[in-house]
Amino acid sequence: AQTPVASTAAGLLLAGEGQLGALPRRAVAPRFRYALARKGMRIADGFSAMDTSHEGSLSPEELSRGARWLGMAEISGAALSELVAVFDEDSNGCITLQEFKKALEVPGFDDADTVEADPDAAGGGGGGGGPD
């Protein structure tokens, strides 16, 4: 007897009708985490830097600008909108700090662990700053 696809590891990874399930988060979250760490920033610091509206949440536009600021310009706006849909647990169209922290959980990577900021990665001025 064949095992239903939905109960396989791949099926569970892609679970969710009409959405990509956990796959985008698992593919992009480590890149966000590492990019923040390269700037010497914790998740909350990166969130604050990207939250240019100071509303306590990230819109798809803010996430897109943040991705470019972190050196991930190749991620399309459409892909980031899909990520917002996956990260956004309360379906309000934005990502709160708690949702952002949960989305960026990477096994074996402690938020207190940051690598020394790379001056080239941070636009030549050290870490900090934020997207324009």
Side-chain angles (χ1 to χ4, degrees):
Q2 288 187 332
T3 304
V5 173
S7 63
T8 66
L12 293 172
L13 182 67
L14 297 171
E17 188 174 325
Q19 62 183 355
L20 296 176
L23 187 59
R25 185 187 74 77
R26 290 186 180 163
V28 177
R31 293 184 62 203
F32 266 97
R33 280 299 291 274
Y34 183 70
L36 288 171
R38 283 192 55 185
K39 288 186 176 281
M41 301 180 89
R42 296 178 182 208
I43 293 173
D45 299 328
F47 180 91
S48 293
M50 289 187 276
D51 181 18
T52 56
S53 67
H54 307 290
E55 294 178 350
S57 61
L58 298 178
S59 67
E61 295 79 22
E62 288 172 318
L63 190 63
S64 178
R65 283 192 304 270
R68 286 192 306 273
W69 170 63
L70 291 170
M72 300 186 306
E74 76 282 357
I75 299 175
S76 72
L80 286 169
S81 292
E82 289 178 22
L83 286 173
V84 170
V86 172
F87 293 172
D88 181 19
E89 293 182 343
D90 60 7
S91 301
N92 69 352
C94 294
I95 301 172
T96 65
L97 175 58
Q98 295 312 110
E99 290 168 335
F100 193 63
K101 283 182 174 182
K102 184 174 181 182
L104 296 190
E105 287 177 354
V106 177
F109 193 101
D110 186 350
D111 196 35
D113 294 339
T114 57
V115 292
E116 188 173 318
D118 178 355
D120 296 329
D132 295 327

